């Protein structure tokens, strides 16, 4: 059995970004693991360098977590490279980083691959970051536009090509929609944001969006594209008439679509995102350990006030690591990120929806179960 060969595939990610210099940790000592207080925040310190890679959607939250974690653990360093969910999972499964941030949970094949790196129980997913995906646009003088699922799907398929199309005008009485071409901007890289967005389109507008749900944009739909969250926001911001999908934390000054749910148009808010997660069903993925916390969202919900284009971004950890120092670092960071304090820090920075107390308790139990490989 192969266990925890961190560093053997460090070339998968940016060496400069992560500065990987050794297996496990850079300078871990024999200090005990961080303990947690009533709110789950670290009270004692750990040392060493913890490395992660993955979802760019977690970028703003991760910056806050880096600050909070190192403040509680001044002798520890947290490095995270926002290369995208697919790249993060690839790096993790290659042993290049100690955890991954991912906008999609590990699938059956990935769970099988995790056994090679993490030991016989493999790896598990923890919902650490919950956020709505904004449908954002650049339309001077217009801040909000109402759209139902069929209209959103038609726009992104290229079937609706102008902002004053009848379908848009009918849903936006009193809004001066210009005679301006719509430029669709999508992610060029494999992305959990893409997968969550097209999953919504597939479930909520199945007659319009017939393409397979995937982290890759459908090849047959030709549109503008850009790398990562910052890339699509930058391209949209610089293109009058453009529309894209992106994590809410990155929207900036762009306008936002209010999504029709039932008979009402719902804006993206932390509360609306949390409500959508409350009706999610646990995913049952073959090969996942008992502590895994993966969920399938109900995208076509008619729940009043729920915003259905929601992203659950996970932290992916091994069930076992090669040494106690690494276990201590992972537990300390994992516990802080899901703690009340950690979730509040992230929300202040990224505007995400804090996880519920029930999810926090389950996630803490999973993190507490991480051990040293025997």
């Amino acid at each position: 059995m192969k266990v925890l060969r961190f560093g053997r595939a460090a070339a998968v990610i940016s060496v400069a970004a992560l500065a990987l210099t050794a297996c496990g940790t850079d300078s871990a000592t024999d200090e005990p693991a961080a303990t947690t207080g009533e709110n789950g925040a670290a009270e004692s310190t750990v040392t060493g360098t913890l490395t992660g890679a993955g979802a760019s959607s977690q970028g703003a939250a991760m910056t806050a977590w880096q600050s909070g974690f190192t403040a509680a653990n001044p002798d520890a360093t947290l490095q995270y490279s926002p290369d995208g969910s697919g790249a993060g999972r690839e790096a993790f499964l290659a042993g290049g980083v100690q955890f991954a941030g991912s906008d999609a949970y590990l699938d059956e094949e990935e769970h099988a691959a995790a056994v090679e790196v993490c030991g016989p129980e493999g790896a598990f997913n923890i919902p650490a970051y919950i956020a709505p995906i904004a449908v954002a646009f650049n339309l001077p003088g217009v801040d909000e536009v109402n759209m139902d699922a069929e209209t959103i799907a038609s726009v992104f398929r290229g079937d609706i090509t102008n902002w004053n199309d009848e379908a848009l005008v009918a849903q936006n009485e009193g809004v001066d929609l210009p005679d301006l071409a719509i430029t669709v901007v999508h992610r060029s890289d494999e992305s959990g944001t893409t997968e969550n967005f097209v999953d919504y389109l597939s479930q909520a507008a199945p007659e319009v969006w017939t393409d397979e749900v995937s982290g890759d944009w459908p090849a047959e739909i030709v549109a503008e594209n850009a790398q990562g969250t910052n890339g699509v926001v930058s391209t949209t911001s610089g293109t009058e008439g453009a529309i894209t999908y992106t994590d809410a934390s990155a929207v900036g000054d762009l306008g936002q679509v209010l999504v029709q749910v039932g008979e009402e148009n719902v804006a993206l808010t932390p509360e609306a995102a949390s409500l959508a997660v409350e009706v999610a069903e646990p995913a049952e993925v073959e090969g996942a350990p008992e502590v895994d916390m993966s969920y399938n969202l109900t995208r076509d919900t008619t729940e009043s006030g729920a915003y259905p284009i929601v992203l659950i971004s996970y932290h992916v950890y091994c069930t076992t690591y090669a040494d106690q120092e690494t276990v201590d670092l992972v537990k300390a960071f994992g516990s802080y990120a899901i703690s009340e304090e950690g979730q509040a820090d992230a929300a202040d920075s990224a505007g995400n929806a804090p996880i519920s107390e029930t999810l926090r308790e389950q996630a803490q139990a999973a993190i507490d179960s991480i051990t040293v490989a025997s």
Side-chain angles (χ1 to χ4, degrees):
M1 178 184 69
K2 303 173 186 176
V3 180
L4 294 166
R5 294 181 292 184
F6 291 115
R8 71 181 176 87
V12 175
I13 54 177
S14 168
V15 175
L18 292 178
L20 295 176
T21 59
C23 296
T25 63
D26 285 350
S27 58
T29 70
D30 291 327
E31 286 194 31
T35 57
T36 56
E38 292 182 1
N39 65 356
E43 291 184 328
S44 62
T45 60
V46 292
T47 62
T49 298
L50 181 65
T51 57
S56 58
S57 62
Q58 292 189 31
M62 191 61 69
T63 297
W65 285 329
Q66 285 174 314
S67 178
F69 176 68
T70 55
N73 301 279
D75 295 322
T77 301
L78 173 63
Q79 297 177 335
Y80 184 80
S81 187
D83 300 327
S85 293
R89 294 196 304 276
E90 182 180 351
F92 174 77
L93 295 173
V97 294
Q98 294 147 321
F99 76 97
S102 179
D103 297 336
Y105 54 75
L106 298 180
D107 61 24
E108 183 178 337
E109 289 185 5
E110 289 170 326
H111 274 295
V115 172
E116 292 292 304
V117 177
C118 299
E121 293 299 313
F124 62 93
N125 304 276
I126 291 295
Y129 178 86
I130 299 173
I133 297 171
V135 182
F137 58 85
N138 179 357
L139 205 57
V142 180
D143 295 326
E144 296 178 343
V145 172
N146 298 327
M147 292 192 196
D148 58 24
E150 289 77 12
T151 303
I152 296 172
S154 296
V155 166
F156 279 88
R157 284 200 65 83
D159 298 331
I160 293 177
T161 60
N162 200 289
W163 281 103
N164 67 354
D165 186 278
E166 291 182 2
L168 287 166
V169 172
Q171 296 176 63
N172 292 277
E173 184 177 353
V175 179
D176 185 16
L177 295 173
D179 182 6
L180 180 65
I182 298 174
T183 300
V184 171
V185 182
H186 66 84
R187 290 279 291 266
S188 61
D189 54 320
E190 181 187 2
S191 164
T193 306
T194 297
E195 184 169 354
N196 279 269
F197 179 62
V198 300
D199 185 46
Y200 159 73
L201 298 177
S202 178
Q203 288 192 43
E207 294 184 1
V208 179
W209 196 270
T210 57
D211 299 274
E212 180 182 355
V213 175
S214 169
D216 293 307
W217 187 255
E220 65 272 17
I221 302 178
V222 179
E224 293 294 320
N225 64 83
Q227 176 83 17
T229 299
N230 291 336
V232 295
V233 170
S234 177
T235 300
T236 303
S237 298
T239 308
E240 192 170 311
I243 189 169
T244 192
Y245 56 92
T246 185
D247 184 78
S249 66
V251 169
D253 295 329
L254 293 173
Q256 299 178 33
V257 170
L258 275 60
V259 179
Q260 184 172 327
V261 177
E263 298 301 318
E264 62 181 327
N265 293 295
V266 181
L268 56 82
T269 64
E271 295 76 19
S274 293
L275 185 57
V277 175
E278 286 181 17
V279 297
E281 296 290 334
E284 296 180 1
V285 183
E286 185 174 346
E290 196 171 309
V291 294
D292 185 65
M293 296 178 65
S294 303
Y295 294 94
N296 290 324
L297 289 155
T298 306
R299 306 293 190 177
D300 56 352
T301 182
T302 57
E303 184 76 26
S304 177
Y307 183 85
I309 318 178
V310 174
L311 174 151
I312 301 178
S313 199
Y314 298 89
H315 286 170
V316 186
Y317 301 115
C318 284
T319 52
T320 63
Y321 289 87
D323 54 73
Q324 189 64 53
E325 292 84 357
T326 304
V327 169
D328 291 348
L329 273 169
V330 171
K331 283 187 171 183
F333 169 67
S335 297
Y336 162 68
I338 64 166
S339 71
E340 186 176 350
E341 177 186 357
Q343 289 287 296
D345 289 346
D348 288 342
S349 177
N352 58 291
I355 62 175
S356 68
E357 186 61 33
T358 298
L359 286 178
R360 180 178 295 113
E361 291 176 357
Q362 295 173 351
Q364 188 62 61
I367 292 168
D368 288 344
S369 72
I370 297 172
T371 60
V372 177
S374 57

